[in-house]
Amino acid sequence: MAKSSSVNKVARAAATSAPKASRPGDRPIFFPVGMAVVVLIGTLFIVLAWRERNAGIPDERPTTSDHWHSAYSVNICGEVQEPIPADTNIEFGIHTRGDGLIHIAPTVDAATGLNATVGTFFLESGGVISDTRLSINGIDVNEAETLCNDQESELLILKWVRADTERPLVIAEGLGAVRFDQNDPNEGQLFTFALVEKDADLDYDALRPDTTLLDDYIDGDPPAEEPIVADESTETTDTSEG
């Protein structure tokens, strides 16, 4: 029979080598720390993406004293659409003259700074843009309902932050909040509002807007901007006597 002292030594050795049971309230710290790091990295990427999309322009610009120009196009499944007609009842000042340009010349504070957006332009032009739907100038397409070449589609904004930039930013979310934010009004920006095949390789050259008129503004030789008037073809009643 083993001596009691030997039994006690074996019991003490077993107790030392056995894992300690967690006490109530004890938690491993690695999991919450790891989650915090993941959240921090994700937030950093979001901030960097926002800064890239918004080109570092101060929040207050454009102001009601600015007048900038951006070329744009609407491209539906590879087909460039007709330019949006001139606005005849300018409310916000972020408008088009039917020339394939967006004139960023806010007339009210509500269209300046962070509110100088694609959504404001579409609203001014009588249209709608969301992350899934584009409706303007007789066009009404929806990712869930409109196919491109019999394939699922997605709505994107391609934004060239300067007119001489080769590759655009490709934006699929927050489309209405995309800003007109060029640092130098003489650099110009380009925007394409495009419905394309989902996950397709994009041909940036084919999707790039025509910059002929924008180049005239950048080069300092723009055409004279005549006042925008209502459609003169509207019939009127002749009230003259005789």
Side-chain angles (χ1 to χ4, degrees), residues 130 147 154 196 220 239:
S130 70
L147 300 178
E154 60 181 338
V196 300
T239 59

Side-chain angles (χ1 to χ4, degrees), residues 2-241:
K3 294 182 180 180
S4 61
S5 60
S6 299
V7 172
N8 291 336
K9 288 181 181 179
V10 172
R12 284 199 299 272
T16 303
S17 61
K20 294 182 180 180
S22 297
R23 292 177 298 173
D26 284 351
R27 274 188 182 176
I29 64 171
F30 298 106
F31 179 75
V33 169
M35 290 300 296
V37 170
V38 170
V39 170
L40 181 61
I41 293 174
T43 302
L44 178 61
F45 276 115
I46 291 172
V47 170
L48 291 175
W50 185 90
R51 291 185 62 183
E52 184 179 21
R53 283 174 55 170
N54 293 287
I57 194 73
D59 290 348
E60 69 272 11
R61 296 195 70 190
T63 68
T64 53
S65 299
D66 288 315
H67 192 163
W68 300 343
H69 302 88
S70 296
Y72 79 93
S73 70
V74 179
N75 191 303
I76 305 299
C77 300
E79 300 218 358
V80 178
Q81 307 298 301
E82 290 294 321
I84 300 168
D87 299 321
T88 57
N89 184 23
I90 296 175
E91 182 178 356
F92 304 113
I94 299 180
H95 63 286
T96 183
R97 293 173 172 261
D99 51 7
L101 294 182
I102 301 170
H103 295 248
I104 300 101
T107 57
V108 294
D109 290 339
T112 63
L114 297 176
N115 294 319
T117 63
V118 166
T120 302
F121 170 63
F122 270 75
L123 182 62
E124 180 83 277
S125 302
V128 174
I129 189 167
S130 70
D131 288 358
T132 58
R133 182 188 174 208
L134 181 152
S135 178
I136 193 77
N137 194 27
I139 302 163
D140 195 349
V141 294
N142 191 308
E143 285 184 353
E145 301 172 358
T146 309
L147 300 178
C148 280
N149 302 318
D150 296 324
Q151 303 296 319
E152 289 185 48
S153 65
E154 60 181 338
L155 189 60
L156 304 172
I157 291 179
L158 279 66
K159 175 181 178 179
W160 288 259
V161 295
R162 295 189 310 275
D164 61 358
T165 304
E166 291 186 8
R167 293 177 65 87
L169 303 176
V170 180
I171 304 166
E173 297 179 349
L175 302 191
V178 174
R179 288 183 64 195
F180 302 110
D181 56 5
Q182 55 205 40
N183 280 310
D184 182 347
N186 294 320
E187 291 178 344
Q189 288 187 331
L190 314 179
F191 294 84
T192 295
F193 313 114
L195 188 77
V196 300
E197 290 182 35
K198 190 172 183 179
D199 300 325
D201 291 330
L202 301 178
D203 184 342
Y204 298 133
D205 290 336
L207 290 166
R208 188 182 182 91
D210 179 28
T211 63
T212 302
L213 187 55
L214 179 62
D215 291 341
D216 290 338
Y217 279 96
I218 293 174
D219 294 339
D221 189 24
E225 292 189 359
E226 299 295 332
I228 296 176
V229 297
D231 187 353
E232 296 180 357
S233 64
T234 304
E235 294 185 2
T236 57
T237 303
D238 185 1
T239 59
S240 62
E241 295 182 2

